[in-house]
C-alpha cells in the first residue's frame, strides 16, 4: 500500500478488535473476492424419525444407568448422568508449589440436560415459535433456580448442534452448567463491559447495537425485543450475535413479550442457517448473562453467541489451526459479506 492510501476493509488485510474480549481477528478479504459460488454440495441425510427407540432423550426410553424418562409432552429437564461437575465438591484452592505455578481449585457445580421437545426430529429451526417460547420459559426457571443457590455464581446455558460440533444426539436439547466460578469467556467479556461502563458511564452492547442499527451493513434480524447481527469482529464464517435491544442483564428480567421475541429470534437465526448449505446447520450457541454472585452487574447486557463451523459447503468446515492456534484467529470472507448472504437467505421463502 502506498503512503497516504487509506486502508480498505473490503480489500486489504487488516485486524479487527473484539471489544467484548479485547482480542483481535485477522481478516484477509483479498482471498475471498470470488463471488458467492452457491456450493451446496447437498449432503443427503435420512430424516430423523419422530421417535427413536434407541435415543436416551426420547420420552419413555431408559438412559445409561437405567433411569427411565417420563413420557413428557413438552420440555424435560434432568441432571446429567455423566455430569462434568459435582455439587458436593469442596472449593478449596491449592497452591501446590507455593509459588503460584502449580495451582488447582475445587469447582462445585451442577450439570443438567434440557430436552426442547418430545419429538426426536425437531430443532429450533423447525419447532413452532410457541414451542420455543416454552423452552425459553424453562431456561428462565433453570437460571432462577440454579442462580439463587449459594454455591452457584454463574449459569451457562448452551446448545451443541450437529455431529460436527460433537453433539452425540440429534434429539433437540441443550445443557446447563452451573458453576461456582465465572468461566473464562464470560469473565473476559464482563471485564470489558465493566471497564466500558466505568469509563464512559454507558453500556458497551447498548452502544454497539445502536451503531449497527444505524449502519445496517451487518444487521440481519430485528424484532421487538432482539437483534441478530454478524458482529464486526466475527471469527466464525457465519457467526451471529443475538442481543436484547433493551439493557437487560439476564433472563430474570424478561417479560412475557421478551420470551416470545427471543423465541422468534432463535427460530429466525436457525432456520436461516439451514438455508446456507441446505443442511441442518451445526453450531454451538449459548447465552451470556449476569453472573449469579449477588453482586450488581449493571455493566452486563444479555446476549447469545452462535458459532457455526461451516465455511464453504455442508462438509467443509473452518478449523482453528496453525496461525489461528498459535497466533490469532483469521477469516477470509468479511463479516459484511457473510451478513449480506444471510440477509438474502432470510428473505427467501
Ligand atoms: Zn430422541
Ligand atoms: Zn446494555
Ligand atoms: Zn458473550
Amino acid at each position: 500500500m502506498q503512503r497516504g492510501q487509506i486502508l480498505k476493509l473490503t480489500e486489504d488485510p487488516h485486524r479487527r478488535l473484539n471489544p467484548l474480549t479485547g482480542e483481535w481477528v485477522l481478516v484477509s478479504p483479498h482471498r475471498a473476492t470470488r463471488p458467492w459460488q452457491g456450493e451446496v454440495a447437498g449432503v443427503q441425510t435420512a430424516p430423523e424419525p419422530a421417535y427413536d427407540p434407541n435415543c436416551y432423550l426420547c420420552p419413555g426410553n431408559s438412559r445409561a444407568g437405567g433411569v427411565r424418562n417420563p413420557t413428557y409432552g413438552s420440555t424435560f429437564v434432568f441432571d446429567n448422568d455423566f455430569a462434568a461437575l459435582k455439587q458436593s465438591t469442596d472449593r478449596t484452592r491449592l497452591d501446590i508449589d507455593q509459588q503460584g505455578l502449580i495451582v488447582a481449585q475445587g469447582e462445585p457445580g451442577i450439570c443438567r440436560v434440557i430436552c426442547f421437545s418430545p419429538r426426536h426430529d425437531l430443532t429450533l429451526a423447525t419447532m413452532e415459535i410457541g414451542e420455543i417460547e416454552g423452552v425459553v420459559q424453562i431456561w428462565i426457571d433453570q437460571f432462577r433456580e440454579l442462580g439463587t443457590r449459594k454455591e452457584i455464581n454463574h449459569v451457562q446455558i448452551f446448545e451443541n448442534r450437529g455431529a460436527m460440533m460433537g453433539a452425540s444426539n440429534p434429539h433437540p436439547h441443550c445443557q446447563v452448567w452451573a458453576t461456582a466460578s465465572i468461566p473464562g469467556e464470560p469473565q473476559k467479556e464482563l471485564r470489558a463491559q465493566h471497564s466500558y461502563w466505568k469509563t464512559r458511564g454507558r453500556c458497551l452492547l447498548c452502544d454497539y447495537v445502536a451503531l449497527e442499527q444505524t449502519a445496517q451493513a451487518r444487521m440481519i434480524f430485528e424484532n421487538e425485543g432482539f437483534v441478530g447481527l454478524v458482529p464486526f469482529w466475527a471469527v466464525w464464517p457465519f457467526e451471529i450475535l443475538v442481543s436484547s435491544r433493551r439493557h437487560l442483564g439476564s433472563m430474570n428480567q424478561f417479560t412475557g413479550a421478551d420470551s416470545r421475541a427471543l423465541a422468534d429470534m432463535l427460530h429466525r437465526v436457525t432456520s436461516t442457517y439451514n438455508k446456507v448449505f441446505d443442511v441442518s446447520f451445526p453450531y454451538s450457541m449459548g447465552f451470556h448473562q449476569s453472573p449469579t454472585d449477588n453482586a450488581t452487574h449493571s455493566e452486563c447486557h444479555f446476549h447469545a453467541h452462535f458459532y457455526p463451523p461451516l465455511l464453504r459447503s455442508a462438509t467443509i468446515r473452518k478449523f482453528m489451526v496453525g496461525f489461528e492456534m498459535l497466533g490469532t484467529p483469521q477469516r477470509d470472507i468479511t463479516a459484511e459479506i457473510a451478513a449480506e448472504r444471510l440477509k438474502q437467505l432470510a428473505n427467501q421463502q
Side-chain angles (χ1 to χ4, degrees):
M1 188 189 298
Q2 285 169 5
R3 212 192 307 178
Q5 197 181 333
I6 291 171
L7 180 72
K8 288 200 187 72
L9 299 188
T10 49
E11 292 168 28
D12 302 318
H14 60 277
R15 46 182 210 147
R16 297 185 180 195
L17 174 68
N18 179 343
L20 271 176
T21 59
E23 287 158 6
W24 295 81
V25 53
L26 179 63
V27 184
S28 315
H30 61 293
R31 299 216 302 187
T33 46
R34 290 175 307 150
W36 178 260
Q37 301 290 308
E39 302 158 75
V40 283
V43 176
Q44 293 307 323
T45 45
E48 295 292 339
Y51 166 77
D52 178 353
N54 298 313
C55 168
Y56 65 92
L57 299 176
C58 275
N61 291 0
S62 60
R63 307 200 302 269
V67 188
R68 191 169 286 279
N69 295 330
T71 50
Y72 62 97
S74 54
T75 51
F76 169 51
V77 185
F78 63 92
D79 284 331
N80 197 319
D81 301 309
F82 300 100
L85 298 158
K86 291 191 293 186
Q87 223 177 318
S88 54
T89 306
D90 193 88
R91 240 200 138 183
T92 308
R93 181 185 162 105
L94 301 174
D95 185 350
I96 295 159
D97 68 327
Q98 312 278 321
Q99 303 177 74
L101 292 176
I102 301 180
V103 176
Q105 185 176 21
E107 181 68 18
I110 299 165
C111 299
R112 289 186 178 159
V113 177
I114 302 176
C115 296
F116 296 166
S117 164
R119 284 271 303 270
H120 184 82
D121 57 339
L122 296 182
T123 65
L124 290 177
T126 52
M127 286 167 70
E128 302 288 333
I129 308 289
E131 294 171 325
I132 304 175
E133 215 180 324
V135 176
V136 175
Q137 191 52 53
I138 292 293
W139 287 336
I140 297 172
D141 295 346
Q142 289 294 313
F143 184 82
R144 282 190 188 148
E145 191 226 303
L146 293 166
T148 47
R149 294 187 185 217
K150 203 158 62 61
E151 77 278 15
I152 297 301
N153 295 308
H154 189 268
V155 179
Q156 184 63 57
I157 300 171
F158 64 95
E159 181 192 11
N160 258 349
R161 177 93 216 137
M164 193 175 264
M165 295 310 287
S168 52
N169 190 328
H171 195 110
H173 72 286
C174 76
Q175 299 186 55
V176 189
W177 289 25
T179 50
S181 317
I182 300 174
E185 287 304 307
Q187 183 75 263
K188 267 187 269 181
E189 296 189 356
L190 283 164
R191 262 189 219 128
Q193 290 177 93
H194 182 71
S195 107
Y196 192 96
W197 184 269
K198 269 190 81 176
T199 53
R200 310 199 202 190
R202 293 192 311 271
C203 163
L204 191 159
L205 274 177
C206 280
D207 279 4
Y208 178 64
V209 167
L211 284 177
E212 292 292 17
Q213 281 179 309
T214 308
Q216 286 294 316
R218 289 167 293 272
M219 185 65 71
I220 310 165
F221 310 103
E222 288 184 77
N223 67 18
E224 325 72 70
F226 296 86
V227 298
L229 55 91
V230 181
F232 180 70
W233 55 84
V235 165
W236 295 92
F238 295 97
E239 180 174 332
I240 285 180
L241 175 76
V242 168
S243 173
S244 60
R245 295 169 62 149
R246 288 184 0 261
H247 186 70
L248 302 173
S250 75
M251 291 175 168
N252 239 338
Q253 296 162 265
F254 275 19
T255 61
D258 291 323
S259 297
R260 183 150 189 96
L262 181 62
D264 169 70
M265 183 56 66
L266 297 178
H267 180 74
R268 288 208 225 177
V269 170
T270 51
S271 56
T272 300
Y273 271 161
N274 286 357
K275 296 180 193 167
V276 177
F277 298 120
D278 213 12
V279 285
S280 187
F281 213 59
Y283 59 77
S284 265
M285 176 278 269
F287 301 105
H288 279 159
Q289 37 189 343
S290 189
T292 57
D293 56 359
N294 281 327
T296 312
H297 286 278
S298 315
E299 79 281 11
C300 183
H301 186 124
F302 175 88
H303 62 281
H305 299 279
F306 277 89
Y307 298 131
L310 290 180
L311 179 61
R312 276 199 304 279
S313 75
T315 49
I316 301 176
R317 61 159 296 170
K318 176 182 179 65
F319 283 99
M320 292 278 219
V321 294
F323 187 78
E324 311 206 281
M325 196 174 250
L326 293 146
T328 206
Q330 184 268 346
R331 64 182 291 145
D332 291 348
I333 66 160
T334 60
E336 295 72 37
I337 299 278
E340 202 179 298
R341 177 70 190 148
L342 288 167
K343 236 184 288 192
Q344 274 172 16
L345 293 167
N347 295 325
Q348 250 172 43
Q349 286 311 305

